[in-house]
Amino acid sequence: MTPQLEKTLAAKARPILEKGRKGDWEHTLRTIEYGRKLLSTEKGEEDIVIPALYLHDTGWSAIDYQDFIKASPAKKKETRSLQLHMKQSARIADEVLQELAFARDQRIRIVSIIAVHDDPEKIFALNDMSATLVMEADRLDRYGKRSAKRYEDMFGPDYFKEAAWKEGVTMRRDGLDEWFKTKTGKALSRRMAEEMGLFNNV
Ligand SMILES: [Fe+2]
Ligand SMILES: [Fe+2]
């Protein structure tokens, strides 16, 4: 992707993401930062990973996601809106990539990753390193100090005081082995989990 094309893509994605969940644009920028870190040491295609990350969460702008906000951390993945946002993100991504004249093969691959990006089993079933890196980059933003602010923005200022937070800690600890398959992803997630105090007694 040329710097000019990336600029245009960012300019298209930003207003859509700003209509989604609070903090979705900033989340997207962090996933891109993590995506580049992963790409610097792992095999994966920048032309797939980076556009997929720009557009992966655009679908939240098109749906009602109150069930997602209200569900406890362990139940969020069972919500209707979690499934729906992937479908809508895929639809929006397809439109944006067509508008920007991405090659058909590239567009199809990006859209099919976005369509399952929050479903680890389906991502691994694609057997595509670029898909794995998209998921790892996205999930890295569940760790580290900056992600703490993201959770407060999305779920309210009391999030860290509530029982839900403890449930979230357990999920993130288990997620370290479940979600991260690459050496770089494993190292980064563990470092940020430590920085977040995830191994302290919560
Ligand atoms: Fe997502
Ligand atoms: Fe995301």
Side-chain angles (χ1 to χ4, degrees):
M1 201 167 38
T2 63
Q4 188 52 47
L5 182 57
E6 184 172 347
K7 239 184 175 175
T8 314
L9 176 59
K12 288 251 177 220
R14 185 175 182 164
I16 304 173
L17 288 157
E18 285 178 341
K19 269 187 255 150
R21 299 172 305 177
K22 215 172 164 201
D24 268 354
W25 170 242
E26 292 75 15
H27 159 62
T28 299
L29 291 178
R30 285 193 297 276
T31 67
I32 291 161
E33 180 191 321
Y34 297 137
R36 290 199 204 283
K37 268 191 194 162
L38 292 167
L39 283 163
S40 70
T41 43
E42 303 292 341
K43 284 197 189 86
E45 295 137 279
E46 189 175 344
D47 282 350
I48 299 291
V49 175
I50 302 299
L53 288 171
Y54 268 109
L55 298 167
H56 79 280
D57 273 339
T58 49
W60 292 108
S61 69
I63 63 166
D64 174 352
Y65 50 82
Q66 280 315 303
D67 61 338
F68 178 79
I69 297 292
K70 286 181 193 142
S72 77
K75 297 273 180 213
K76 286 190 194 298
K77 60 175 187 284
E78 292 162 26
T79 57
R80 202 178 111 82
S81 63
L82 187 85
Q83 296 304 319
L84 217 55
H85 98 281
M86 290 191 270
K87 209 175 159 184
Q88 291 295 326
S89 296
R91 178 186 63 79
I92 293 167
D94 196 50
E95 281 172 20
V96 170
L97 296 172
Q98 283 201 52
E99 269 175 54
L100 300 184
F102 273 66
R104 187 172 177 273
D105 289 3
Q106 190 187 2
R107 171 167 56 85
I108 290 170
R109 273 188 64 206
I110 295 168
V111 168
S112 52
I113 293 170
I114 292 177
V116 296
H117 73 268
D118 265 321
D119 188 333
E121 274 178 32
K122 287 185 184 165
I123 281 286
F124 297 136
L126 290 175
N127 223 346
D128 175 349
M129 197 50 162
S130 296
T132 299
L133 295 193
V134 168
M135 192 188 75
E136 291 195 356
D138 187 21
R139 292 193 179 229
L140 279 168
D141 199 29
R142 298 182 182 201
Y143 300 91
K145 287 185 181 156
R146 292 180 301 170
S147 112
K149 182 172 181 310
R150 173 183 181 225
Y151 281 89
E152 280 183 344
D153 281 351
M154 267 198 295
F155 305 125
D158 292 334
Y159 185 72
F160 293 103
K161 293 180 202 141
E162 289 168 3
W165 171 241
K166 288 191 181 173
E167 204 184 314
V169 167
T170 309
M171 276 195 63
R172 287 184 191 84
R173 275 195 207 139
D174 296 349
L176 290 169
D177 292 320
E178 214 179 293
W179 304 330
F180 299 96
K181 301 296 176 208
T182 71
K183 213 176 148 196
T184 316
K186 280 181 194 289
L188 269 174
S189 59
R190 269 164 186 75
R191 198 195 309 150
M192 288 198 291
E194 268 171 39
E195 175 196 311
M196 206 182 189
L198 225 57
F199 301 115
N200 304 345
N201 287 325
V202 186

